[in-house]
């Protein structure tokens, strides 16, 4: 036990003493429970000492690091070695260990200890069973040898052999029966009679084939029996159920041996029967615990996966299967705010509602862990079967759950997958159900989402782009196109907007709407934006060298995350210095919502850029909710009107008067604030002419030119 204290959490003298005291107390309880269940050649004090030693081994295993469940196997074997072989000895030992050991040690709330204890219970039962089986086999071999001795030495030692056989036959702890080849019972020992509840006379009137066949016996049991009575085998061992005289079932390990006469012909059959009912029930109990969630009592992940795999192993043509994968919306908030006890009670209530609302033939409700549940629907005829199940689940959770004075409203998000078994796997089904659950969450919760292969393909492509984007920047897969900003009074090019593109090796040429949002999410927008800014400034410098005063300024879009980057001003200053581009030839565009939501520190950055000479423009103006009074205090030089305002100016026969008035008002407002105005999305000559008459300064759109390469811009400048 000195070693135990070394493994105790926060090992100290006080904790170690408590464990020692608890172990000693448990050993006394153990002795009191098992004394009288078996014939043991020890005094009560010796029994206590022996069980105290075994308790020490169990306690040391519980606290050992690493944990070794095999210690339980050794303890089970030592119980058999000490002659604790009665039917009640193992049952009382397993129940007492499970109910009292952690209590005596003071660690009943420790989940790790409870898990370890369950493992030790299982290995103790296995060790006990193996040791008892080996002892039984030794007894069986002794009995068989006695039978053979009776045959081989019939004349020389008939009386001694008969005495030995009778002693073993009568006193053996296992049941023994002798029958002729037609199956009629010739004799049975007291253990066998007690096991099945018959008298000797009743047993001799029985036929082993007619009276002891159980309806659930495997066909192999009786095939082996027929081979034995024909003399084709000398013995066989099986696990078999018998009916007692009172109708109850008894689980046994049955060994049947053939006894031949002097000529080697089959004469009798000898059955040796060990009652393993308690062990069988214990194994069933342990299996139930291993395959069910201890909190809700529902099947757990292991049992669910077992049933799911069985559904995929079917040979039924055209078989289909469906899954509802669900978790509770907002469960973490309830768990964190009201405590784990309330959270656990909520899970129990939800599990009960799910089981009551959807359980039935071909269906399995299981808890996967945490607040996640899954419903398996076998033998579906189509997607609607699983959708109906999901709708019932959502309805079952509509009413609040009352727990400890709290009325808790709950809902669930559900991912649905339904398909033919052929052509897919259980792993594919689980993966797609998990993906679909994520969609249901993303789409607003308290709903179900159906698996869509096209949406999944888009999600996979989106993930691929996100994962490959950093390397793409290093490999030079990005490039910049430019679209002219044209003065409306003389149709000359005032500037160009830099528009980044991605030449993806798999997906081809990608526009910004395919990857800019991803860059924002991953944080790559800052290095990507820096790269675009440098490329645009280098190109603007080249045009300044080639075209002088006719060279356009370059307008670069600035993402929200870039505008809040502490290094923005330093980056712009360094790039302008490196490229030699005057600050007046650079314009930075921010969206209306981004610039209106700008906090003090980013706003100071924009003011610093403006003081350097960099132009600041508000992109897509008019689509947000601008505070017009606040606008006059921002370091802004230009408004770029959103293309949606151009729709009413498109028609050749006349402009929409409302749209025309809105555009005129915006232009007038901008000019009153000392700002220039550029109209976006101009596609017709009528739009351009109406904007010119309104007084708009410049415009861009397909009417003037689509985004193109630097060479395309140079041709326009030269022309």
């Amino acid at each position: 036990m000195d070693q135990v204290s070394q493994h105790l959490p926060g090992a100290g003298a006080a904790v170690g003493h408590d464990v020692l005291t608890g172990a000693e107390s448990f050993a006394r309880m153990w002795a009191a429970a098992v004394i009288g269940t078996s014939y043991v050649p020890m005094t009560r004090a010796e029994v206590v000492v022996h069980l105290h030693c075994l308790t020490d081994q169990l306690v040391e295993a519980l606290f050992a690091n690493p944990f070794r469940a095999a210690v339980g196997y050794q303890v089970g074997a030592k119980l058999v070695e000490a002659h604790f072989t009665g039917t009640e000895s193992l049952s009382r030992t397993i129940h007492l260990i499970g109910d009292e050991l952690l209590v005596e040690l003071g660690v009943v709330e420790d989940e790790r200890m409870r898990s370890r204890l369950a493992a030790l219970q299982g290995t103790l039962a296995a060790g006990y069973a193996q040791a008892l089986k080996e002892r039984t086999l030794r007894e069986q071999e002794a009995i068989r040898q006695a039978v053979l001795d009776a045959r081989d030495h019939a004349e020389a030692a008939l009386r001694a052999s008969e005495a030995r056989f009778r002693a073993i036959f009568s006193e053996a702890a296992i049941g023994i029966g002798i029958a002729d080849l037609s199956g009629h019972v010739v004799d049975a020992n007291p253990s066998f009679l007690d096991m099945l509840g018959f008298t000797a006379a009743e047993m001799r009137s029985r036929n082993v084939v007619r009276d002891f066949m159980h309806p659930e016996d495997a066909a192999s049991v009786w095939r082996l029996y027929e081979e034995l009575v024909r003399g084709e085998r000398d013995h066989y061992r099986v696990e078999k159920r018998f009916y007692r005289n009172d109708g109850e079932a008894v689980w046994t390990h049955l060994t049947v041996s053939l006894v031949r006469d002097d000529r080697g012909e089959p004469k009798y059959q000898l059955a040796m029967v060990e009652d393993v009912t308690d062990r069988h029930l214990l194994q069933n109990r342990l299996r139930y615990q291993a395959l069910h969630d201890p909190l809700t009592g529902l099947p757990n992940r292991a049992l669910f996966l077992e049933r799911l795999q069985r559904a995929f192993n079917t040979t039924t043509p055209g078989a289909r299967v469906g899954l509802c994968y669900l978790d509770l919306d907002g469960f973490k908030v309830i768990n964190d705010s009201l405590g784990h006890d309330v959270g656990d009670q909520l899970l129990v209530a939800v599990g009960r509602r799910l089981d009551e609302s959807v359980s039935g033939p071909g269906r399995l409700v299981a808890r996967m862990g945490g607040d996640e549940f899954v419903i398996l629907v076998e033998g579906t005829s189509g997607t609607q079967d699983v959708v109906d199940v999901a709708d019932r689940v959502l309805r079952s959770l509509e009413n609040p759950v009352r727990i400890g004075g709290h009325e808790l409203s709950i809902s669930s998000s559900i991912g649905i997958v339904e398909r033919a078994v052929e052509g897919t796997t259980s792993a594919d089904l689980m993966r797609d159900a998990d993906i679909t659950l994520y969609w249901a969450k993303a789409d607003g919760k308290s709903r179900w989402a159906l698996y869509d292969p096209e949406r999944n393909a888009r999600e996979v492509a989106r993930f691929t782009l996100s994962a490959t984007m950093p390397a793409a920047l290093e490999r030079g897969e990005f490039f910049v196109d430019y679209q002219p900003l044209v003065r409306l009074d003389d149709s000359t090019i005032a500037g160009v907007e830099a528009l980044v593109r991605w030449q993806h090796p798999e997906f081809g040429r990608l526009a910004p709407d395919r990857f800019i949002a991803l860059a924002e999410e991953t944080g790559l927008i800052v290095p990507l934006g820096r790269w675009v800014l440098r490329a645009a400034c280098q190109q603007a410098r080249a045009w300044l060298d080639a075209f002088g005063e006719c060279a356009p300024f370059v307008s670069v879009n600035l993402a929200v995350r870039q505008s809040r980057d502490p290094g923005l001003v330093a980056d712009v200053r360094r790039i302008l210095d490196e490229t030699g581009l005057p600050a007046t030839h650079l314009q930075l565009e921010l969206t209306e919502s981004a610039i209106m939501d700008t906090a003090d520190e980013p706003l100071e950055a924009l003011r610093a850029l403006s003081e350097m000479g960099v132009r600041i423009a508000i992109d897509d103006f008019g689509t947000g909710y601008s505070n017009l009074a606040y606008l006059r205090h921002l370091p802004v030089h230009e408004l770029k009107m959103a293309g949606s305002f151009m729709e009413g100016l498109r028609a050749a026969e006349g402009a929409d008067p409302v749209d025309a008035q809105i555009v005129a008002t915006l232009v007038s407002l901008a000019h009153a604030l000392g700002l220039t105005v550029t109209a976006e999305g101009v596609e017709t000559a009528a739009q351009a002419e109406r904007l010119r008459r309104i007084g708009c300064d410049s415009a861009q759109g397909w009417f003037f030119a689509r985004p193109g390469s630097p060479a395309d811009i140079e041709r326009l400048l030269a022309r």
Side-chain angles (χ1 to χ4, degrees):
M1 287 301 293
D2 289 339
Q3 298 177 12
V4 172
S5 61
Q6 297 172 9
H7 299 289
L8 289 171
V15 176
H17 179 268
D18 290 344
V19 170
L20 290 171
T21 303
E24 182 178 357
S25 174
F26 177 82
R28 288 195 297 271
M29 295 172 61
W30 191 0
V34 298
I35 286 175
T37 62
S38 302
Y39 174 74
V40 181
M42 289 189 286
T43 66
R44 176 178 292 270
E46 289 172 335
V47 169
V48 172
V49 171
H50 182 71
L51 295 183
H52 194 176
C53 179
L54 297 186
T55 301
D56 288 347
Q57 294 179 37
L58 291 174
V59 172
E60 182 174 355
L62 277 174
F63 290 96
N65 249 328
F67 172 64
R68 290 193 311 108
V71 172
Y73 193 98
Q74 300 165 6
V75 170
K78 288 180 180 178
L79 282 173
V80 175
E81 290 175 10
H83 300 284
F84 286 98
T85 57
T87 56
E88 284 293 312
S89 297
L90 176 62
S91 177
R92 293 187 183 185
T93 294
I94 291 297
H95 284 295
L96 189 65
I97 290 174
D99 294 338
E100 299 296 338
L101 183 54
L102 295 186
V103 175
E104 292 300 320
L105 296 180
V107 290
V108 68
E109 298 297 328
D110 191 323
E111 287 294 332
R112 185 182 67 165
M113 290 299 160
R114 290 168 62 185
S115 174
R116 289 186 170 188
L117 184 64
L120 285 175
Q121 285 180 282
T123 55
L124 188 149
Y128 184 95
Q130 182 62 29
L132 192 58
K133 178 180 178 182
E134 291 172 359
R135 173 175 170 160
T136 300
L137 291 177
R138 289 195 297 270
E139 288 185 353
Q140 291 171 349
E141 184 59 27
I143 294 169
R144 183 173 179 274
Q145 190 61 46
V147 174
L148 293 176
D149 288 344
R151 184 199 68 184
D152 295 339
H153 306 286
E155 295 296 333
L158 180 58
R159 293 180 182 178
S161 176
E162 179 68 15
R164 286 196 303 272
F165 173 74
R166 278 297 160 188
I168 295 173
F169 184 80
S170 300
E171 300 300 327
I174 63 172
I176 304 173
I178 303 174
D180 60 22
L181 295 182
S182 64
H184 288 97
V185 178
V186 175
D187 203 356
N189 74 342
S191 292
F192 197 19
L193 296 174
D194 291 343
M195 189 183 303
L196 297 184
F198 291 106
T199 65
E202 289 173 332
M203 184 64 79
R204 291 191 184 96
S205 68
R206 301 282 168 171
N207 183 286
V208 295
V209 179
R210 183 186 65 246
D211 299 327
F212 292 135
M213 180 180 290
H214 193 283
E216 295 184 18
D217 283 341
S220 60
V221 173
W222 298 102
R223 177 179 54 79
L224 293 170
Y225 173 81
E226 291 169 358
E227 292 176 359
L228 181 128
V229 296
R230 290 197 301 262
E232 297 173 4
R233 62 170 55 245
D234 287 328
H235 66 274
Y236 66 87
R237 293 189 182 95
V238 294
E239 186 174 272
K240 174 176 166 41
R241 271 182 288 184
F242 287 94
Y243 280 128
R244 284 176 48 83
N245 195 21
D246 58 10
E248 291 187 8
V250 179
W251 280 94
T252 70
H253 277 314
L254 171 66
T255 302
V256 183
S257 299
L258 183 65
V259 181
R260 300 176 185 269
D261 61 17
D262 293 339
R263 297 187 304 274
E265 295 297 323
K267 184 69 174 176
Y268 296 103
Q269 46 184 318
L270 175 69
M272 286 168 278
V273 189
E274 178 191 2
D275 185 347
V276 294
T277 304
D278 288 343
R279 192 188 317 161
H280 186 81
L281 294 175
L282 175 61
Q283 289 172 343
N284 286 345
R285 176 185 172 190
L286 293 176
R287 173 172 170 77
Y288 181 89
Q289 291 175 347
L291 296 177
H292 288 77
D293 175 45
L295 179 64
T296 62
L298 294 174
N300 63 9
R301 176 186 291 269
L303 181 54
F304 164 73
L305 293 177
E306 183 181 297
R307 277 282 298 273
L308 180 62
Q309 191 57 52
R310 194 189 312 161
F312 273 83
N313 291 338
T314 182
T315 57
T316 304
R320 301 182 70 85
V321 66
L323 277 186
C324 290
Y325 201 162
L326 60 107
D327 78 355
L328 304 182
D329 302 325
F331 175 75
K332 186 177 185 303
V333 175
I334 295 174
N335 211 31
D336 292 346
S337 59
L338 300 181
H340 292 281
D341 182 58
V342 172
D344 287 349
Q345 292 181 61
L346 178 60
L347 291 175
V348 171
V350 169
R352 187 183 306 115
R353 289 191 185 184
L354 294 179
D355 194 40
E356 292 172 352
S357 63
V358 302
S359 287
R363 294 177 184 171
L364 177 72
V365 181
R367 182 186 176 205
M368 298 297 282
D371 62 331
E372 292 186 352
F373 297 83
V374 66
I375 302 169
L376 173 64
V377 185
E378 299 180 69
T380 56
S381 59
T383 301
Q384 190 60 43
D385 291 349
V386 192
V387 170
D388 291 342
V389 170
D391 285 336
R392 279 201 295 277
V393 169
L394 293 176
R395 286 196 299 271
S396 73
L397 299 178
E398 287 177 351
N399 294 327
V401 178
R402 182 173 293 278
I403 296 174
H406 303 284
E407 192 170 84
L408 305 177
S409 297
I410 54 173
S411 63
S412 175
S413 298
I414 308 174
I416 297 177
V417 182
E418 192 279 337
R419 63 182 57 152
V421 169
E422 187 177 359
T424 188
T425 66
S426 59
D428 291 339
L429 199 71
M430 287 298 296
R431 180 201 61 210
D432 294 343
D434 193 27
I435 290 171
T436 312
L437 172 60
Y438 170 79
W439 293 349
K441 288 283 189 186
D443 291 345
K445 304 180 181 179
S446 190
R447 67 189 64 217
W448 52 259
L450 188 64
Y451 181 75
D452 178 2
E454 293 183 1
R455 179 174 179 179
N456 185 56
R458 291 194 300 271
E459 293 284 345
V460 170
R462 190 170 183 270
F463 172 79
T464 301
L465 291 178
S466 178
T468 58
M469 196 181 300
L473 187 57
E474 295 179 3
R475 289 194 297 264
E477 294 177 6
F478 292 96
F479 65 95
V480 180
D481 274 347
Y482 300 90
Q483 186 174 29
L485 281 68
V486 178
R487 297 184 184 92
L488 290 174
D489 57 355
D490 59 7
S491 297
T492 59
I493 296 177
V496 291
E497 182 177 356
L499 301 168
V500 65
R501 306 284 190 260
W502 186 356
Q503 188 62 44
H504 195 280
E506 179 181 355
F507 302 113
R509 183 186 175 104
L510 302 178
D513 60 344
R514 292 286 303 277
F515 59 86
I516 288 297
L518 288 176
E520 283 268 19
E521 292 175 11
T522 60
L524 193 68
I525 191 66
V526 174
L528 178 61
R530 190 183 300 122
W531 179 87
V532 172
L533 180 62
R534 178 174 282 104
C537 288
Q538 288 172 343
Q539 185 59 62
R541 178 69 240 187
W543 285 329
L544 185 60
D545 293 339
F547 297 98
E549 294 180 356
C550 295
F553 67 83
V554 65
S555 189
V556 180
N557 289 285
L558 204 62
V560 174
R561 201 158 180 169
Q562 283 178 276
S563 69
R564 296 172 181 170
D565 181 34
L568 174 62
V569 176
D571 285 343
V572 173
R573 181 179 287 110
R574 181 172 56 256
I575 290 172
L576 290 176
D577 290 342
E578 291 173 358
T579 59
L581 182 69
T584 54
H585 275 64
L586 173 63
Q587 177 172 277
L588 297 177
E589 297 184 19
L590 286 85
T591 62
E592 182 179 1
S593 57
I595 201 166
M596 290 301 171
D597 293 340
T598 301
D600 291 340
E601 188 173 338
L603 186 58
E604 289 303 317
L606 295 182
R607 288 197 176 99
L609 291 171
S610 178
E611 290 170 1
M612 287 167 52
V614 176
R615 291 169 53 85
I616 307 296
I618 298 181
D619 195 13
D620 286 333
F621 185 79
T623 58
Y625 300 92
S626 299
N627 183 331
L628 300 181
Y630 183 55
L631 184 62
R632 65 186 297 181
H633 301 294
L634 294 175
V636 176
H637 303 85
E638 178 167 311
L639 301 183
K640 297 188 71 174
M641 277 193 300
S644 56
F645 290 114
M646 302 302 111
E647 292 297 321
L649 308 183
R650 180 192 299 268
E653 60 274 11
D656 180 275
V658 175
D659 283 351
Q661 184 60 47
I662 290 174
V663 172
T665 301
L666 289 177
V667 171
S668 176
L669 170 66
H671 288 167
L673 295 173
L675 308 178
T676 58
V677 181
T678 296
E680 298 179 298
V682 177
E683 298 180 358
T684 66
Q687 287 173 316
E689 175 57 24
R690 289 179 181 122
L691 288 167
R692 186 190 64 78
R693 289 200 302 268
I694 287 173
C696 186
D697 301 288
S698 57
Q700 71 181 103
W702 287 4
F703 171 68
F704 302 105
R706 293 173 179 260
S709 66
D712 294 334
I713 299 299
E714 288 166 8
R715 282 191 289 273
L716 291 175
L717 290 171
R719 187 175 63 190

